[in-house]
Amino acid sequence: MDNEFRLANAGRIDRDRPIPFVFDGTEYLGYAGDTLASALLANGVHQVSRGVHSCRPRGILASGVTEPCALVQVEEPFDEPTLAATTVEVCAGLRARGLSGKGALTSRPDPARYDTMYAHADVLVVGGGPTGLLAALTAARAGARVMLLDDQSELGGDLLAETAPLEGRPPIAWVSGVCAELAGCQDVTVLPRTTAFGYYDDNYVVACERRTDHLGTAAPERTSRQRMWCIRARAVVLATGAHERSVAFSDNDRPGVMLAAAARTYLHRYGVLPGRRVVVFTTNDGAYQAAIDLAGAGVPVTALADARPEVPDDLAKACAAADIEVLAGHVVAGTRGDARISGACLAELRDGRLQGHREVDCDTVLVSGGWNPAVHLFSQAGGGLRYDSQLAAFVPARARQRVFVGGAARGAVTLADCLADGARIGAQASRTVGLSADAAPMPAVLQRTPTPSTALWLVPDPSGDYRRHYVDLARDATVADIVRATDAGLRSVEHVKRYTTVGTGHEQGKTSGVLATGVVATILGVDPAELGTTTFRPPYTPVTFAALAGTDRGALHDPVRVTALHDWHVAAGAMFENVGQWKRPWYYPRPGEDMAAAVWRECVAARRSVAMMDASTLGKIDVQGRDAAEFLDRVYTTMMSTLRVGRIRYGLMCRADGMVFDDGTVIRLADNHFLLTTTTGNAAAVLDWLEEWLQTEWPHLRVYLTSVTEHWSTVALVGPRSRTVLRRLAGDLALDNASFPFMAWRDATLAGTTARVCRISFSGELAFEINVPWRHAQRIWTELCDAGADLGITPYGTETMHVLRAEKGYPIIGQDTDGTVTPQDLGLDWAVSKKKRDFIGKRSFSRPDTARGDRKHLVGLLPVDPDLLLPEGCQLVADAELPAPPVPMLGHVTSSYRSPALGRTFALALVEAGRHRVGRRIHAVVDDRPVPVIVTDPVFYDKEGARRDG
Amino acid sequence: MTAQDTADAVPELPATLWRDPEPKRGYDVVIVGGGGHGLATAYYLARNHGITDVAVVDKGWLAGGNMARNTTIIRSNYLLDASAGIYEHAMKLWEGLADDLDCPILFSQRGVLNLAHSPQDVREGVRRVNANRLNGIDAEWLDPRQALEICPILNISPDVRYPVLGATYQPRAGIARHDYVAWGFARAADRLGVDLIQDCEVTGIEVDSGRVTGVSTTRGLLTARKVALCAAGHSSVLAEMAGLRLPVQSHPLQALVSELLEPVHPTVVMSNAVHVYVSQAHKGELVMGAGIDQYNSYAQRGGLHVIQRQLAAALELFPIFARAHVLRTWGGIVDVTPDASAILGLTPIDGLYLNCGWGTGGFKATPGAGWCYADTIANGVPHPLAAPLTLERFATGALVDEHGAAAVAH
Amino acid sequence: MLIECPWCGPRDETEFHYGGQAHVSYPDDPSVLTDEQWARYLFYRDNPQGRFAERWCHGSACRRWFNAVRDTRTHQIVATYRTGESAPVT
């Protein structure tokens, strides 16, 4: 029968909105406001899953995030593994199945959106129960910018399951009143279904808001499914409540065993009876109300076993009035039944021993082993904990951040104390952020002084068999497992956790962690205070990978940088290469061409006629100031102060350890004004590097650095006919070698556009680098295309650039070097000033290892087989026969290409004592076979440099 | 299904692990730091060199530092000869370790893929594979399709921001259960007579005329002929007690774990370019590591943005992980040297030995580092495999710059 | 962490990059140093467990370098101050 355990009138579900759902293949009916757990219980379904190792039937122990065993896999509306049935809201189209420990990932692409919000708050209140509500109200009335987060679908916390009147009204009426007032406050943000899961440095609290799951198939497509809230708060109020824990007794894992407070929640919030005949087992006052309420709802409570030898009078009387037999000094020693409890064994606990066993029939055992304040966030925030023996629990002690803990989260037991805490810490938090605050008035509430609980962790077993005394139902770990760990010599709770896996389940030991400490303490005969807890770590509850990833996915994963000419390249069919964040044209295949063919054609055009390349991604740094020249002398190995205005010089930068860091050109625009270029990938790093030295070492130097990479587009016009093409655009600019020599620059107007033209060549050919403002790039590019059309002007990409420069032996920093190569290794001694007293890296050149003559040098290689293209990265050895490993290696191939100019393959390599081996034969290991190569000078093409002048 | 059928059942751990002895007043060798390296060193001192008058002292619980916090990846596919030598030595020891220690360590040689996302990554990967092969280390270069065959959930679409262009593959690499490894070494050392002393914090290193004489601890003075530091992220603090300054910085390194999941990820995938490394442990949880936090810290935690960045990158590579859940994040303290290689050897103080600077690579080195360190301590000269890893290299410039050379850490 | 840039005010740590130990000066004349002394400058930095004077750069905003005294055990920043100033606390 549908909903046979549902009460006719109780609960906060919406009976006008029935929702069918499917669990384990069977359709059931729930209502809006139900969790999957409450709806299953209403339908008499108790067994949800099986133990991960034991395969024993497992039911529903709890009512919220502490649930250790009622795990489900949601299959519709979309697959999600490993959710506690107690946290899944029943929604349209819900289909789920019970899980035995392991969830399943689906290869269906997740269609949902996830996003992130960054927020600031004066007072952030975590937890919307009585404490949090009153704290938020107090802070809001003080004028604070307040955020209130609660993990449930509606605010109220335990008040949602409370019946005792508050201000003479049902508690929920008070909750509604507070919520209404908060809703009316400007600067107050209330977020239900939002779980604060991480507490980081300087009051940075991170929460996950579940925005659409409760709508099921009706969820709007454009709304993000989950939202990360990253909140920086000036003060934080933690009103996170407490978690009830169980006691380790025999067969305490069977469906039908439930925490007492959970039963009360199911009764009052969802109108669901957990069973038909109940036994209650408690170590504290808390479980009594559950027994009395259930009796009031017509459920026979066969017995209430209170482990304490003395029972509080008022509670005893109330039980008597409800016809509940109270057994002081008694425990539940075990249960019987199969998929569901059919009975329990009661016994008297005296002097640590059981006596007077008595079997009773029941289908439900409600248990309360005490309450653990939810100190997770407090502890993450660096707060210390102490053991409170009155509560038999770890409570917050010293706080390290500006955080205030109140209510059950600090160990308060009564509603009156929780409310008083809320008002007090709400005012304290407001005052610490500079607001004058009065505590909101306390609502009138029944006062009662609780009696201390007893620290009972484990019910002794007369036979000494603890293999079914479960401590962690999520991990199927028992007292016997813990005994085995301590017998093995383990004393630390961290070791026991790792030996037994207690506390490593999906809920990270919310019901089992402190219980395990208590059990270990009992076994070792020490105080739990000596053992402490394992460390609380984020997240407080499981968070999906996708929520944490947020929007940084797909196209937004990392910014894409493109040049002003990108659209042209795309239209021209370019293939692109990622260089840092930039997209650079790699080569421009024509129909039917592969990469090799395209690159060959592009190389030929550059060597024989004219070609052009978009070099805009090169980093450009504008350097100005009185001491600019002095500064550049210090950061480049090359002398820069002697550079004349109008001229350009190659420059090399090293780290202080003497290893090459970057290279580029320096052009002197005026006495106190330079422009540097850097490699594409290193532009930001070079600017950072220069700023660091300038600001932290040489603040007295008057130098100003500005990145102008995206101010200027750069087109490299290359080839023997480049001057011809340029002349067609350059008007009266003299381009002959005498007027415009190599390594000079000129301002010009090209096709009506202001341009700076540099005679720089990275190919060895006559070449011009034309810099124009970014917005004019398209125009100058197409003008050049048109002007060179009759000469077959050819756009080329980075691969051709690499071939051309390699033929000239020009290294690419980062390809022909790694972080272990000096300028001397590269044969660039000529770029290292001998005159300067010092520059960054100079001192390192004379260290014993750096000064060695047999370091790896950059050399050229010619495979003896001229058609053999050596793989870049292949290793070099001396001999044609490989000895047994480890084989001594001489170096590796850094660049390798087919050269149209040479009509053969060639390579650059870093080779041990390479310059001393020029002309000698060594071997490259290709596919595990040594093949002969000849070591050469790295310059293969136009050694005398005749072609650069055209 | 019965309990016997579950392949992921916890293996039977030894019923006896170690004694809990009171410290003696003196030892031949005191090892400071009861992590994986300290325990392995103690074991090999006893087993290989017959030196059993040894105490391992730890300020907390055994193997509670980085040994308890790493992502358990084991591989030896390092580029440089010096790194390859000691890591491959470790790999060979891993391959016989469960038998040697008579303890399950769940060593699973499921292979590791190191992904390349740019032509530069490809060059570096090929270079490393070729060097590995000549050094006798198993390594292959795979194109994206071959990588997909090894790891079918890998996203090799060319349309993602940083597509997979290839991968290096070391089939013998894998994972092991970190705690069991530590306990296996601890138990074996204990059985050979080594005293494992927990909750014993070193407060001073006693030096007399340039020679170490012992350590003072929260449990009293322990005299020793030799003192071996083995404290990872806390090495600088300890060395300072002896007046030594180290080229080491301590940083947080974070990692995380998911819930238990049906098997989806059969190997180990590392992507240095986007700071992801992930495997699926034998129980079923995804174990992932992040990049290190930038600042110095001893707090064993880092910033959430590092985790967020890591998961964004992970979902680019593994869209299937979208709705997996992070159950727990944590942080360790890694000791990083300027060249990202370890320091293992002698110090200017007679009888004081140093093993630190393993950065993110400490776990995989455990048996190899322990072996070489024990040998160095026993003989008073660096083991040949550790010879390139001396402190002197920072003065001569002969760095073992694995990071600079290959940009592959972890 | 929330870091107080001396120029911009308190900002999230993701806006900053780290520069290690503060107050390490480039040697006046590296050429007179021994290899060992030069190595000290290049590679050796303090690594205290506790308060540490260190450099940060507000790279996402003013791009200024400045110094902070921060406790490496707790990440608590005790003070921040401009480059060239001496630490207000130790």
Side-chain angles (χ1 to χ4, degrees):
Chain A
M1 195 180 77
D2 259 356
N3 283 267
E4 60 175 317
F5 286 82
R6 186 87 72 176
L7 293 171
N9 297 310
R12 299 189 49 71
I13 52 164
D14 185 350
R15 283 163 210 271
D16 295 333
R17 290 168 57 203
I19 302 174
F21 68 96
V22 176
F23 180 74
D24 276 350
T26 306
E27 185 168 311
Y28 300 98
L29 200 63
Y31 294 94
D34 259 328
T35 64
L36 179 55
S38 68
L40 288 172
L41 289 170
N43 286 286
V45 178
H46 283 265
Q47 183 184 336
V48 173
S49 64
R50 286 183 175 273
V52 59
H53 298 308
S54 66
C55 298
R56 286 162 63 96
R58 289 286 158 75
I60 297 166
L61 183 78
S63 63
V65 298
T66 68
E67 175 58 44
C69 42
L71 286 186
V72 300
Q73 170 95 20
V74 169
E75 296 174 317
E76 297 290 344
F78 193 85
D79 306 73
E80 181 162 355
T82 334
L83 296 171
T86 53
T87 62
V88 174
E89 293 185 51
V90 167
C91 64
L94 176 66
R95 202 180 75 200
R97 64 180 165 86
L99 270 190
S100 176
K102 271 188 193 176
L105 296 174
T106 174
S107 50
R108 275 203 288 172
D110 183 356
R113 300 155 64 94
Y114 299 84
D115 62 15
T116 308
M117 290 285 276
Y118 295 87
H120 291 262
D122 291 328
V123 178
L124 168 66
V125 180
V126 181
T131 309
L133 283 172
L134 212 51
L137 188 64
T138 299
R141 285 179 180 171
R145 185 158 49 152
V146 175
M147 291 186 77
L148 171 60
L149 317 181
D150 189 82
D151 78 326
Q152 293 292 301
S153 56
E154 55 179 333
L155 268 64
D158 286 345
L159 294 177
L160 297 172
E162 187 50 73
T163 49
L166 201 54
E167 287 198 308
R169 295 181 292 167
I172 198 66
W174 179 82
V175 171
S176 304
V178 174
C179 289
E181 183 174 342
L182 291 173
C185 294
Q186 241 183 346
D187 284 346
V188 173
T189 306
V190 178
L191 295 171
R193 294 193 178 89
T194 303
T195 309
F197 67 80
Y199 197 142
Y200 293 85
D201 291 320
D202 298 312
N203 274 357
Y204 190 65
V205 176
V206 186
C208 183
E209 180 187 7
R210 298 171 299 283
R211 290 156 54 84
T212 62
D213 279 352
H214 61 288
L215 302 173
T217 45
E221 218 175 271
R222 303 288 297 171
T223 304
S224 63
R225 174 177 178 246
Q226 296 181 342
R227 170 171 289 173
M228 289 273 297
W229 285 88
C230 299
I231 304 162
R232 183 75 69 179
R234 299 173 69 197
V236 174
V237 166
L238 293 179
T240 45
H243 298 153
E244 197 165 31
R245 64 174 184 251
S246 184
V247 178
F249 58 89
S250 185
D251 296 307
N252 60 345
D253 64 325
R254 289 202 165 109
V257 176
M258 184 181 279
L259 294 170
R264 205 158 171 251
T265 295
Y266 287 117
L267 175 65
H268 294 307
R269 186 169 169 192
Y270 302 104
V272 171
L273 298 176
R276 297 289 187 209
R277 179 171 290 273
V278 172
V279 165
V280 179
F281 172 24
T282 189
T283 64
N284 61 82
D285 292 358
Y288 280 81
Q289 199 61 47
I292 292 162
D293 289 358
L294 280 170
V299 178
V301 178
T302 311
L304 187 156
D306 189 330
R308 296 173 295 185
E310 304 275 333
V311 172
D313 274 351
D314 57 334
L315 297 177
K317 279 186 194 136
C319 283
D323 204 15
I324 300 169
E325 184 187 4
V326 175
L327 301 167
H330 277 65
V331 297
V332 170
T335 67
R336 62 176 191 274
D338 185 15
R340 177 84 204 246
I341 284 179
S342 59
C345 175
L346 300 172
E348 190 177 3
L349 178 66
R350 184 176 291 177
D351 303 328
R353 293 190 174 186
L354 296 186
Q355 56 188 44
H357 287 77
R358 172 178 143 195
E359 295 285 338
V360 292
D361 290 340
C362 62
D363 64 0
T364 305
V365 170
L366 301 186
V367 57
S368 178
W371 291 83
N372 300 324
V375 295
H376 304 65
L377 293 175
F378 180 79
S379 182
Q380 287 178 28
L385 305 178
R386 68 177 171 82
Y387 184 72
D388 182 321
S389 55
Q390 292 277 302
L391 295 167
F394 291 90
V395 299
R398 165 194 52 80
R400 212 189 61 224
Q401 303 200 33
R402 193 181 285 172
V403 55
F404 303 90
V405 193
R410 69 138 179 102
V413 174
T414 66
L415 178 56
D417 285 348
C418 289
L419 289 164
D421 273 12
R424 178 176 53 80
I425 62 179
Q428 277 180 346
S430 306
R431 284 195 289 269
T432 61
V433 301
L435 297 165
S436 64
D438 298 316
M442 283 273 297
V445 62
L446 212 59
Q447 297 280 354
R448 179 180 175 277
T449 308
T451 39
S453 52
T454 183
L456 178 71
W457 309 98
L458 130 94
V459 173
D461 191 279
S463 68
D465 181 356
Y466 290 100
R467 285 174 299 170
R468 296 195 312 278
H469 285 52
Y470 283 89
V471 175
D472 187 338
L473 287 89
R475 293 298 310 146
D476 252 347
T478 66
V479 171
D481 294 327
I482 293 181
V483 169
R484 191 174 145 81
T486 53
D487 281 353
L490 302 179
R491 298 292 176 270
S492 155
V493 288
E494 294 282 5
H495 276 150
V496 171
K497 168 184 170 176
R498 286 165 165 78
Y499 193 93
T500 63
T501 76
V502 165
T504 63
H506 69 282
E507 36 60 83
Q508 292 285 292
K510 290 188 180 65
T511 56
S512 60
V514 175
L515 179 55
T517 293
V519 169
V520 173
T522 307
I523 294 167
L524 298 179
V526 300
D527 193 83
E530 285 179 38
L531 298 174
T533 66
T534 55
T535 311
F536 295 94
R537 294 278 191 182
Y540 166 65
T541 53
V543 186
T544 55
F545 283 23
L548 283 160
T551 50
D552 291 345
R553 297 173 60 187
L556 298 180
H557 179 59
D558 202 34
V560 174
R561 298 175 78 184
V562 296
T563 72
L565 298 168
H566 188 71
D567 292 347
W568 191 96
H569 303 318
V570 171
M575 301 299 288
F576 289 89
E577 176 187 19
N578 285 319
V579 183
Q581 291 174 325
W582 290 98
K583 293 281 183 194
R584 298 196 70 180
W586 195 8
Y587 57 98
Y588 297 80
R590 287 183 178 163
E593 277 185 344
D594 62 7
M595 179 170 168
V599 170
W600 188 278
R601 173 177 51 72
E602 291 170 15
C603 287
V604 168
R607 290 273 182 239
R608 296 196 188 151
S609 179
V610 59
M612 60 199 274
M613 177 177 131
D614 180 1
S616 305
T617 62
L618 286 182
K620 303 174 206 75
I621 300 171
D622 182 278
V623 182
Q624 301 191 40
R626 189 186 65 200
D627 301 313
E630 163 73 16
F631 175 67
L632 297 181
D633 273 350
R634 297 184 187 198
V635 297
Y636 279 101
T637 62
T638 327
M639 181 81 87
M640 290 300 172
S641 52
T642 55
L643 182 64
R644 281 179 288 130
V645 174
R647 301 305 297 250
I648 304 172
R649 191 165 285 171
Y650 174 76
L652 199 57
M653 283 186 205
C654 288
R655 297 271 187 192
D657 64 2
M659 303 304 150
V660 173
F661 166 46
D662 202 66
D663 71 345
T665 55
V666 175
I667 79 178
R668 192 162 200 169
L669 298 169
D671 270 354
N672 296 337
H673 192 182
F674 295 81
L675 184 76
L676 327 180
T677 64
T678 74
T679 58
T680 296
N682 245 355
V686 170
L687 181 63
D688 287 348
W689 172 249
L690 299 182
E691 281 286 1
E692 182 180 339
W693 283 90
L694 194 53
Q695 292 184 35
T696 67
E697 289 296 340
W698 306 315
H700 54 283
L701 293 185
R702 293 276 293 276
V703 180
Y704 306 91
L705 307 172
T706 309
S707 167
V708 293
T709 301
E710 277 146 322
H711 298 200
W712 296 95
S713 270
T714 305
V715 179
L717 185 67
V718 174
R721 317 290 288 274
S722 58
R723 189 179 278 134
T724 312
V725 174
L726 189 58
R727 188 171 290 128
R728 292 171 181 176
L729 300 186
D732 54 4
L733 177 65
L735 296 176
D736 61 282
N737 282 320
S739 319
F740 191 174
F742 184 60
M743 294 306 255
W745 63 270
R746 297 289 181 264
D747 279 334
T749 302
L750 300 185
T753 297
T754 307
R756 179 180 299 133
V757 183
C758 302
R759 261 202 70 189
I760 298 172
S761 178
F762 197 41
S763 58
E765 299 296 334
L766 174 68
F768 299 87
E769 280 190 9
I770 300 162
N771 295 279
V772 296
W774 199 261
R775 65 184 180 281
H776 295 152
Q778 286 275 4
R779 194 199 316 172
I780 202 76
W781 181 270
T782 47
E783 292 276 0
L784 287 167
C785 281
D786 294 346
D790 59 324
L791 302 171
I793 192 166
T794 301
Y796 68 94
T798 50
E799 189 65 16
T800 292
M801 172 188 80
H802 284 179
V803 177
L804 298 176
R805 63 86 203 175
E807 290 168 342
K808 286 292 294 175
Y810 298 148
I812 298 261
I813 306 305
Q815 173 170 342
D816 300 294
T817 69
D818 53 29
T820 68
V821 177
T822 67
Q824 298 81 6
D825 297 343
L826 292 175
L828 295 179
D829 307 62
W830 60 267
V832 178
S833 167
K834 311 291 181 292
K835 294 181 193 147
K836 290 194 285 185
R837 185 178 73 96
D838 192 31
F839 54 83
I840 298 171
K842 180 180 167 84
R843 172 63 185 84
S844 289
F845 298 151
S846 58
R847 293 178 301 169
D849 191 73
T850 330
R852 275 192 296 125
D854 59 349
R855 287 176 62 86
K856 287 181 182 172
H857 301 148
L858 186 74
V859 293
L861 295 182
L862 287 174
V864 169
D865 172 358
D867 286 330
L868 177 68
L869 183 68
L870 298 174
E872 288 173 350
C874 75
Q875 296 286 333
L876 302 165
V877 298
D879 301 321
E881 294 292 324
L882 288 181
V887 180
M889 288 169 257
L890 299 176
H892 74 286
V893 172
T894 59
S895 298
S896 174
Y897 309 98
R898 291 184 193 281
S899 165
L902 306 178
R904 57 160 300 146
T905 59
F906 74 106
L908 297 175
L910 285 167
V911 179
E912 204 173 281
R915 285 194 286 274
H916 309 311
R917 296 181 197 263
V918 169
R920 306 231 310 257
R921 173 186 291 227
I922 60 172
H923 294 81
V925 183
V926 179
D927 294 333
D928 299 333
R929 282 189 318 113
V931 296
V933 298
I934 307 297
V935 179
T936 70
D937 183 88
V939 183
F940 292 93
Y941 178 76
D942 185 31
K943 277 193 205 297
E944 44 297 334
R947 297 188 60 87
R948 70 171 196 216
D949 288 332
Chain B
M1 196 170 71
T2 67
Q4 286 72 39
D5 293 336
T6 55
D8 59 357
V10 181
E12 191 78 345
L13 285 165
T16 309
L17 288 175
W18 52 76
R19 301 163 292 130
D20 194 12
E22 280 301 311
K24 296 191 297 185
R25 299 184 58 178
Y27 293 90
D28 269 357
V29 181
V30 170
I31 296 170
V32 183
H37 285 211
L39 294 167
T41 303
Y43 170 65
Y44 290 120
L45 270 176
R47 174 189 180 275
N48 294 357
H49 305 280
I51 300 173
T52 58
D53 186 23
V54 176
V56 179
V57 298
D58 197 283
K59 70 188 172 79
W61 40 286
L62 284 184
N66 292 346
M67 195 63 183
R69 296 157 202 274
N70 66 80
T71 49
T72 80
I73 297 171
I74 293 165
R75 61 185 182 89
S76 62
N77 56 348
Y78 284 76
L79 171 70
L80 302 177
D81 296 349
S83 321
I86 195 160
Y87 282 108
E88 177 60 17
H89 181 60
M91 178 64 84
K92 292 199 170 79
L93 292 171
W94 280 114
E95 288 175 322
L97 199 56
D99 287 342
D100 188 25
L101 299 177
D102 186 25
C103 180
I105 60 166
L106 299 176
F107 181 42
S108 162
Q109 290 180 286
R110 58 184 62 191
V112 60
L113 291 170
N114 292 82
L115 304 181
H117 298 275
S118 69
Q120 183 57 23
D121 284 354
V122 171
R123 278 188 288 268
E124 285 169 0
V126 171
R127 177 185 174 194
R128 188 159 47 77
V129 162
N130 286 317
N132 288 163
R133 294 178 75 88
L134 292 172
N135 270 323
I137 296 166
D138 58 319
E140 298 165 34
W141 176 255
L142 306 183
D143 67 25
R145 298 218 145 273
Q146 293 170 313
L148 188 69
E149 280 171 30
I150 304 289
C151 183
I153 57 171
L154 190 62
N155 181 12
I156 60 163
S157 160
D159 300 325
V160 300
R161 181 68 182 86
Y162 294 110
V164 175
L165 301 183
T168 71
Y169 183 54
Q170 184 183 20
R172 284 158 70 233
I175 55 175
R177 176 77 198 171
H178 49 359
D179 293 327
Y180 299 178
V181 173
W183 299 349
F185 275 118
R187 174 169 167 270
D190 176 89
R191 290 188 161 189
L192 292 172
V194 172
D195 280 357
L196 307 178
I197 302 166
Q198 305 179 76
D199 298 314
C200 179
E201 183 169 0
V202 169
T203 54
I205 294 174
E206 307 301 319
V207 179
D208 183 17
S209 317
R211 175 153 196 96
V212 78
T213 59
V215 293
S216 19
T217 77
T218 49
R219 295 177 70 172
L221 176 72
L222 309 184
T223 63
R225 288 198 309 114
K226 295 181 176 181
V227 172
L229 303 184
C230 212
H234 289 85
S235 296
S236 300
V237 178
L238 281 166
E240 200 184 345
M241 293 176 188
L244 277 183
R245 197 163 179 242
L246 301 180
V248 164
Q249 300 281 288
S250 297
H251 290 277
L253 177 66
Q254 299 185 74
L256 63 89
V257 68
S258 80
E259 76 262 57
L260 307 189
L261 295 163
E262 300 288 348
V264 292
H265 180 32
T267 183
V268 182
V269 171
M270 304 178 60
S271 171
N272 234 62
V274 292
H275 296 301
V276 170
Y277 38 111
V278 57
S279 66
Q280 186 170 19
H282 85 291
K283 282 203 321 244
E285 67 271 38
L286 299 170
V287 182
M288 299 179 60
I292 68 171
D293 283 73
Q294 55 179 343
Y295 45 78
N296 290 33
S297 171
Y298 289 84
Q300 294 187 322
R301 57 194 167 77
L304 181 71
H305 58 278
V306 176
I307 301 281
Q308 290 174 298
R309 190 75 195 141
Q310 172 201 11
L311 288 174
L315 293 192
E316 294 301 293
L317 294 176
F318 302 102
I320 193 174
F321 292 167
R323 293 201 182 187
H325 301 94
V326 176
L327 292 198
R328 188 173 179 87
T329 63
W330 64 89
I333 310 169
V334 293
D335 40 331
V336 180
T337 62
D339 62 357
S341 290
I343 302 167
L344 199 164
L346 282 53
T347 70
I349 296 168
D350 277 352
L352 184 67
Y353 297 84
L354 183 63
N355 172 31
C356 67
W358 290 92
T360 56
F363 176 71
K364 60 184 70 69
T366 301
W371 181 287
C372 294
Y373 199 30
D375 186 89
T376 302
I377 296 162
N379 297 321
V381 291
H383 183 278
L385 288 174
L389 302 177
T390 59
L391 261 177
E392 290 74 35
R393 71 180 189 269
F394 297 101
T396 63
L399 303 188
V400 184
D401 200 348
E402 192 72 31
H403 186 71
V408 173
H410 314 302
Chain C
M1 285 192 293
L2 189 68
I3 300 172
E4 174 111 15
C5 169
W7 305 92
C8 305
R11 296 289 188 276
D12 190 83
E13 72 175 89
T14 53
E15 295 187 12
F16 298 85
H17 67 254
Y18 188 64
Q21 185 181 356
H23 310 299
V24 178
S25 294
Y26 186 74
D28 284 340
D29 185 359
S31 67
V32 303
L33 301 184
T34 64
D35 289 332
E36 183 64 32
Q37 287 168 328
W38 179 242
R40 296 270 150 188
Y41 166 74
L42 279 184
F43 297 127
Y44 287 69
R45 294 292 181 272
D46 290 347
N47 187 26
Q49 186 176 25
R51 287 190 177 183
F52 188 35
E54 62 192 15
R55 307 184 308 157
W56 289 87
C57 177
H58 197 186
S60 299
C62 66
R63 300 187 60 80
R64 296 266 201 169
W65 282 89
F66 62 93
N67 297 325
V69 175
R70 187 179 57 96
D71 193 315
T72 62
R73 292 165 301 191
T74 62
H75 299 173
Q76 191 199 357
I77 294 177
V78 186
T80 57
Y81 53 102
R82 296 178 183 186
T83 299
E85 296 174 356
S86 52
V89 291
T90 51

